Amino acid sequence: MNTTEKEPPIVRRPGANRPRRVFIEPAMLLVMIGVGLTAPITIQYVNHRVRQKYNLTSETSKSNCLNDSDDANDSSLQDQVQQEVTAWSLAYGACGAFPMLISTTIFATISDTIGRKIPLLISNFGVIAHCLTVITVAYLSLPLTYLVIGNFVWNCFGGYQLFFSVSLAIVADTAKKRQRTMKFIILQTLVMCGSGLAQVGVGYWVDATGFIPPYCLAAGLFMIVVPYTIFIIPETVTTKQSICFGLTKFFSSVRILFTSTKSQRRIKIILLFLCHFLVFTTVMYFMPVVYLKVLSKPFCWNSVLIGYYSASQPIFAGIGLLCGGYILKQCLGDYGMIIVGLLSGILLMIGVGIATTTEEMFIVAGIGALRNIPFAVLMALLSKTVDDKQQGTLFAFVGALEGLGLFLGPITLGSLYKVTVETYPATVFITMTGILLISVCLVCVLKYLELRHGSFYTRLDSSDNTIQAEDDGNENARADDSMDHQ
């Protein structure tokens, strides 16, 4: 190894590499409760404003359909409303995803240089500004364009994805390799449960008080996270490096990641990232499409039913992620867990696509309870590939892929739903099923390559920009890696 490198060393706090208690979980729970409060009612608010434009307003507790009228003019007007709501939803999602892609990459990358706290605070300030923007738009009945602009500004601060990516880096800083899969499963469970708990009863709340109070509560929760981040969450990384050096090192680390040919490592890393991108894009855009589906015929859900369904989805997913992840880890390897989770997601997409009653929609929510397992396992596998000093860079790249997924999801899947909503609305769910089937094939290829070439989860040596293989005489480390992936 080249010991003459002049790169400033990364200095970690004593014990940063040893497992210890890091209080990131309560902050993540509060953030996801806030996000869970606001995400479903944003589309409902857009639907309310569009219907108001066409003089179709009604009390939020009433049906969103035109009294189930069979009149041709009524049906045509309802279709027009549905298309406009879909268009606004598409603009809202797409305008926020692209800046999230860039900002998450930058802020999560420099967390290896300036520490983890500052990116967490940046994300919180952005979401607080977003909540205040929505409150202002709703209170003054401003044009929906301001809602889109507010979402754009929020995602320029990294969106919620930055907070999640940096939280993952903190967990990776403090957990041993063999513990990371379950650590990530627990963190993902908090994300699901926090989002689900927030939506229990939110429909009644909107029905009773309107759309503004839930956003006020969400803003308050995000404000609580700010002092919690400053005073309670410990800093896991301190450095003597400049921000510019951190950005330069990110690109060099990505180059190393994709230029290695040892043990077919390059193709396998690419497949891992591609699989994560496909699964994330599909699963994350699932709920916005469902909201559009249930607001139209034959469902015509009101805010109460949407609140119950929005709560049931993450709660089922959280229970399935924690319990299912623990049970599956006892009898399956990492790849087996991913395939089971993907199959659960496939059944969910098929079930929602063919569902025609409210009861069926709630039943299939339980079928997809394991669909989030692939997220945690894929991130654990990726985390085990890099040096401890590069966790922020790794999750910055993962965040960039997720930002790209959030950008392309509304453009592709949202546009597909918009053009097929009047002919065959299930088309988008069939497409999602196909994407998840492709992911299953990628996982099978990854397993085949590992069986053929052996474990490829070798550490990146960031000091001399080379790959240090585990089999360079260190049999104990190699055995430890093998145990981590069984």
Side-chain angles (χ1 to χ4, degrees):
M1 183 182 297
N2 185 1
T3 59
T4 63
E5 285 292 323
K6 297 182 180 180
E7 296 178 1
I10 290 182
V11 180
R12 294 180 180 273
R13 294 183 182 276
N17 290 325
R18 297 192 300 269
R20 63 188 179 90
R21 181 62 176 168
V22 177
F23 297 97
I24 188 64
E25 294 85 357
M28 174 60 72
L29 185 62
L30 289 177
V31 167
M32 291 314 301
I33 289 176
V35 173
L37 275 172
T38 58
I41 64 175
T42 299
I43 295 180
Q44 294 180 58
Y45 176 71
V46 171
N47 181 70
H48 169 75
R49 288 290 300 274
V50 172
R51 290 173 59 80
Q52 190 177 51
K53 171 184 174 182
Y54 288 96
N55 296 320
L56 299 175
T57 56
S58 61
E59 296 298 325
T60 57
S61 60
K62 295 181 181 179
S63 172
N64 284 301
C65 294
L66 299 176
N67 298 321
D68 298 325
S69 173
D70 293 328
D71 184 83
N73 292 330
D74 286 349
S75 298
S76 176
L77 187 57
Q78 180 67 23
D79 291 339
Q80 187 175 353
V81 169
Q82 179 70 6
Q83 287 190 1
E84 187 165 339
V85 172
T86 303
W88 277 111
S89 176
L90 175 62
Y92 183 84
C95 81
F98 183 71
M100 180 192 290
L101 187 157
I102 299 175
S103 59
T104 298
T105 303
I106 295 175
F107 293 134
T109 296
I110 64 176
S111 72
D112 281 334
T113 300
I114 63 177
R116 311 296 188 201
K117 284 190 176 184
I118 293 179
L120 293 178
L121 292 172
I122 291 173
S123 176
N124 268 287
F125 291 144
V127 72
I128 291 172
H130 174 255
C131 287
L132 295 178
T133 300
V134 177
I135 292 171
T136 303
V137 170
Y139 183 76
L140 300 177
S141 296
L142 299 177
L144 292 178
T145 305
Y146 290 99
L147 204 65
V148 176
I149 294 174
N151 191 46
F152 176 84
V153 173
W154 173 30
N155 285 281
C156 285
F157 286 80
Y160 74 89
Q161 194 59 44
L162 175 61
F163 196 96
F164 185 58
S165 296
V166 177
S167 298
L168 291 172
I170 291 175
V171 172
D173 284 340
T174 58
K176 289 182 178 180
K177 289 175 63 180
R178 64 166 57 96
Q179 297 175 332
R180 289 179 189 173
T181 299
M182 281 307 301
K183 291 284 187 179
F184 288 144
I185 285 177
I186 292 173
L187 195 63
Q188 192 77 37
T189 301
L190 287 176
V191 170
M192 295 295 101
C193 291
S195 178
L197 289 174
Q199 296 168 37
V200 174
V202 70
Y204 288 110
W205 195 5
V206 171
D207 183 21
T209 63
F211 295 94
I212 295 178
Y215 270 97
C216 292
L217 175 60
L221 293 175
F222 295 132
M223 291 177 183
I224 293 174
V225 174
V226 172
Y228 185 92
T229 301
I230 296 174
F231 299 110
I232 304 297
I233 297 177
E235 181 59 77
T236 59
V237 174
T238 58
T239 80
K240 298 179 181 179
Q241 299 172 348
S242 67
I243 295 178
C244 293
F245 179 81
L247 292 173
T248 303
K249 192 172 182 180
F250 165 71
F251 293 107
S252 65
S253 299
V254 172
R255 178 181 58 81
I256 298 169
L257 197 66
F258 292 106
T259 56
S260 171
T261 58
K262 189 177 294 293
S263 299
Q264 302 292 318
R265 189 176 189 277
R266 176 173 55 187
I267 184 63
K268 294 175 182 177
I269 288 292
I270 292 174
L271 290 177
L272 271 176
F273 279 126
L274 178 60
C275 184
H276 182 82
F277 169 75
L278 293 176
V279 176
F280 181 87
T281 303
T282 304
V283 175
M284 286 298 104
Y285 199 67
F286 167 72
M287 285 304 296
V289 175
V290 169
Y291 293 144
L292 295 174
K293 177 184 175 74
V294 300
L295 283 171
S296 59
K297 292 182 179 180
F299 299 97
C300 305
W301 285 5
N302 56 25
S303 59
V304 174
L305 273 176
I306 291 177
Y308 279 131
Y309 189 78
S310 299
S312 67
Q313 282 286 343
I315 289 177
F316 278 131
I319 295 174
L321 182 62
L322 184 61
C323 300
Y326 178 80
I327 295 172
L328 291 175
K329 189 169 177 60
Q330 308 306 313
C331 54
L332 294 175
D334 288 335
Y335 293 119
M337 295 174 65
I338 295 173
I339 290 177
V340 171
L342 291 175
L343 293 177
S344 176
I346 289 171
L347 292 176
L348 174 66
M349 302 301 170
I350 296 174
V352 171
I354 64 177
T356 56
T357 66
T358 297
E359 292 77 12
E360 291 173 352
M361 290 292 292
F362 278 90
I363 291 174
V364 296
I367 298 176
L370 303 179
R371 69 184 183 275
N372 286 308
I373 287 179
F375 292 149
V377 180
L378 285 169
M379 286 186 291
L381 294 179
L382 288 168
S383 176
K384 296 170 188 177
T385 66
V386 302
D387 186 82
D388 289 338
K389 298 184 292 253
Q390 293 184 312
Q391 296 298 323
T393 302
L394 170 71
F395 289 113
F397 193 74
V398 172
L401 286 177
E402 293 179 350
L404 181 62
L406 292 173
F407 176 69
L408 293 178
I411 293 177
T412 55
L413 299 175
S415 298
L416 178 63
Y417 181 80
K418 181 180 179 180
V419 299
T420 60
V421 64
E422 295 184 23
T423 55
Y424 190 63
T427 302
V428 67
F429 297 103
I430 295 174
T431 304
M432 290 178 172
T433 300
I435 295 174
L436 294 183
L437 284 172
I438 293 174
S439 301
V440 172
C441 295
L442 292 177
V443 173
C444 292
V445 172
L446 282 165
K447 183 60 179 177
Y448 169 76
L449 292 176
E450 181 171 301
L451 291 174
R452 183 176 178 181
H453 299 285
S455 178
F456 62 95
Y457 298 105
T458 56
R459 291 279 185 161
L460 287 179
D461 190 339
S462 59
S463 298
D464 58 2
N465 292 342
T466 60
I467 302 298
Q468 181 179 5
E470 295 293 339
D471 57 355
D472 288 344
N474 191 342
E475 296 296 334
N476 291 333
R478 187 175 176 182
D480 181 58
D481 268 357
S482 300
M483 290 176 60
D484 289 339
H485 292 87
Q486 297 299 321

